Amino acid sequence: MATHRIYGLLEKYRTSARFAFLLQLVVRVLTSLFSLLWTPLLLNAMGARLNGLFLSFQSFTTLGSLGNLGLAGTVGTETSKLLGRGKNKELQQFLAVARSIFLLLATVAILVILSLSPWLPAWLHFEEAPGSGSLTLLFVVGAIMAGLTVLTFYSSSLNYGCGNVGWPVIPVFLITQVGFLCHWLLAREHVALWIQFLPYFSVTLGGLLITMFFVKLSHKELAAFWPLRWNRKILWMLVTTSFWWYLCNLGTTIYTSTDRLLINGGIGSEQVPVYAYNFKLCELAFFVVFSAGFVSLPKITQWLASSEPETRSRLLLEIRRLNQFQIALAGMAALAYLAFNDFFIRVWLGEHMQAPLILQAFFAAHLMMASSSDINIQLTMRLENNGLKFAACA
């Protein structure tokens, strides 16, 4: 009886953008509070140099998102569109081809990074430090992580396209905190960095299984891992559309994942924590602002696919409201960041971790500009192929 009640509650709010936004907001606050605990614990257990090296490697693994070549965006968008049009049979055929390509890309990503792992540390200016262990082994684990990340993009984009925006939030939060706990326990024992990275590998695998489980709950016929098929027409559509999604992802990934690598290689790993942790409040603000658009996009995409005039009118009204909300929220967040970040860092990590005011000013400007334009860019990317091409080129 209790199980049926829980499922009924989940089903009731499955596609609710407001519920998902509030849920993500609450979980993000909890995540930030736990981060206030995990960050100093890990920093003290590892030291600034090893911690900076680890943060830089995490940025490298984030680049694994490029291995899906933009296919995740296409899968999420097409799933929403075909569900909105009631074309379930066409959707199953589409997903069978998409699964084949994702599996192929995951295999290629693993093999490429694995073959380059002996040389990647030197090319990226990763220098071994006392306690770091073999950096080659670290990149070997990163190779497997890259392949798993590609597969996770398929599961998460499919779950997202099905409209299950709120369901994975709490489970993913819980397994992520377990991952941090395991990392801290390993860091206290001063084991090699490649071993310390294994909990995050497990978290990624758990995320893949969780999202596919939720797809099975909401759309059982779409949750299969088989069959794998090739269809020239669908393949061509995937490749041509995904190329533009790839350009969109490429721009985002460059400015969110390469900064720590550049600081690590050009200045030293000791400076990476100062840069990363002074961005923490902005990171929280970004998540809050972007979540408002993220949880609304599956429903917005389905409205875009509708030909009913009433639905179109509602779409324009909701988009305008959402954009105004994001602009106001971003402006208040940027001012709050400039006012309180020094105090926050001083209490949290100590004065030695404070960043120069000019860097904080750039962080605040970045927060304001990127947040204010988010929903406009996201909407443009979903206005059929011409809108996607425009956004990708921009």
Side-chain angles (χ1 to χ4, degrees):
M1 183 66 69
T3 303
H4 287 296
R5 288 179 179 176
I6 294 173
Y7 180 75
L9 184 65
L10 288 174
E11 182 61 30
K12 179 180 179 181
Y13 294 105
R14 184 177 69 84
T15 60
S16 172
R18 289 184 178 88
F19 173 76
F21 174 68
L22 291 174
L23 188 61
Q24 294 224 25
L25 183 59
V26 170
V27 168
R28 185 59 186 185
V29 171
L30 291 175
T31 300
S32 298
L33 292 176
F34 274 94
S35 177
L36 297 179
L37 169 67
W38 295 126
T39 298
L41 287 176
L42 288 171
L43 193 58
N44 291 332
M46 302 174 72
R49 187 175 180 185
L50 276 183
N51 187 249
L53 201 61
F54 192 84
L55 291 174
S56 299
F57 179 73
Q58 283 185 315
S59 291
F60 169 79
T61 60
T62 303
L63 293 173
S65 63
L66 296 177
N68 76 85
L69 300 181
L71 286 168
T74 303
V75 168
T77 304
E78 287 300 313
T79 298
S80 293
K81 287 181 179 178
L82 292 174
L83 282 176
R85 294 166 182 166
K87 297 183 177 181
N88 285 12
K89 185 177 181 180
E90 289 86 344
L91 178 55
Q92 292 181 50
Q93 295 174 346
F94 167 79
L95 292 177
V97 178
R99 284 193 296 268
S100 303
I101 301 177
F102 269 93
L103 183 60
L104 176 62
L105 290 176
T107 304
V108 170
I110 292 173
L111 293 177
V112 169
I113 300 178
L114 200 60
S115 63
L116 295 176
S117 58
W119 300 279
L120 281 172
W123 291 347
L124 295 174
H125 300 283
F126 277 66
E127 298 181 0
E128 286 193 8
S132 65
S134 171
L135 295 182
T136 299
L137 276 178
L138 182 62
F139 279 87
V140 168
V141 176
I144 303 173
M145 182 69 163
L148 181 62
T149 300
V150 171
L151 297 179
T152 303
F153 268 93
Y154 170 78
S155 67
S156 58
S157 60
L158 175 59
N159 183 69
Y160 180 65
C162 290
N164 305 330
V165 289
W167 282 3
V169 176
I170 293 178
V172 170
F173 165 75
L174 293 176
I175 64 170
T176 300
Q177 300 313 309
V178 172
F180 278 119
L181 174 61
C182 293
H183 180 196
W184 176 61
L185 293 175
L186 291 172
R188 290 180 61 193
E189 299 300 321
H190 305 291
V191 299
L193 288 182
W194 71 269
I195 299 177
Q196 294 186 39
F197 188 72
L198 292 179
Y200 300 101
F201 177 88
S202 302
V203 168
T204 304
L205 177 61
L208 186 153
L209 297 177
I210 286 171
T211 49
M212 289 305 296
F213 172 73
F214 285 133
V215 172
K216 187 175 181 179
L217 279 182
S218 63
H219 298 80
K220 186 176 182 179
E221 70 280 3
L222 305 181
F225 288 99
W226 307 98
L228 303 176
R229 293 177 181 170
W230 295 99
N231 179 292
R232 290 185 179 181
K233 184 178 179 181
I234 296 176
L235 180 62
W236 177 249
M237 186 275 290
L238 272 168
V239 171
T240 53
T241 305
S242 296
F243 172 75
W244 302 109
W245 278 107
Y246 179 70
L247 288 185
C248 293
N249 293 337
L250 181 63
T252 301
T253 304
I254 284 174
Y255 84 78
T256 58
S257 301
T258 58
D259 46 3
R260 297 177 188 179
L261 293 172
L262 292 172
I263 293 171
N264 176 73
I267 302 176
S269 60
E270 296 89 346
Q271 295 301 315
V272 175
V274 176
Y275 176 88
Y277 298 140
N278 275 270
F279 190 68
K280 182 63 69 175
L281 289 180
C282 282
E283 190 178 80
L284 172 61
F286 267 122
F287 184 87
V288 173
V289 175
F290 288 170
S291 290
F294 176 81
V295 299
S296 303
L297 283 171
K299 188 172 290 186
I300 287 173
T301 304
Q302 293 186 26
W303 287 344
L304 281 170
S306 175
S307 58
E308 297 180 4
E310 293 183 1
T311 303
R312 290 280 183 170
S313 299
R314 184 181 180 185
L315 169 66
L316 295 175
L317 177 62
E318 294 298 331
I319 286 293
R320 189 176 298 111
R321 287 177 177 174
L322 181 57
N323 184 231
Q324 291 171 348
F325 176 71
Q326 286 186 315
I327 291 174
L329 197 59
M332 290 187 291
L335 292 174
Y337 170 76
L338 290 174
F340 296 107
N341 185 65
D342 276 346
F343 173 76
F344 168 71
I345 293 294
R346 185 167 61 251
V347 173
W348 183 35
L349 299 174
E351 291 187 13
H352 65 286
M353 294 297 290
Q354 288 179 338
L357 180 59
I358 186 65
L359 180 60
Q360 296 181 51
F362 275 114
F363 282 160
H366 177 211
L367 168 63
M368 183 64 195
M369 290 186 291
S371 300
S372 299
S373 60
D374 172 61
I375 194 59
N376 297 309
I377 296 173
Q378 296 295 336
L379 182 62
T380 302
M381 291 162 61
R382 287 159 175 80
L383 293 174
E384 302 302 336
N385 286 337
N386 287 334
L388 179 59
K389 292 176 183 178
F390 179 82
C393 292

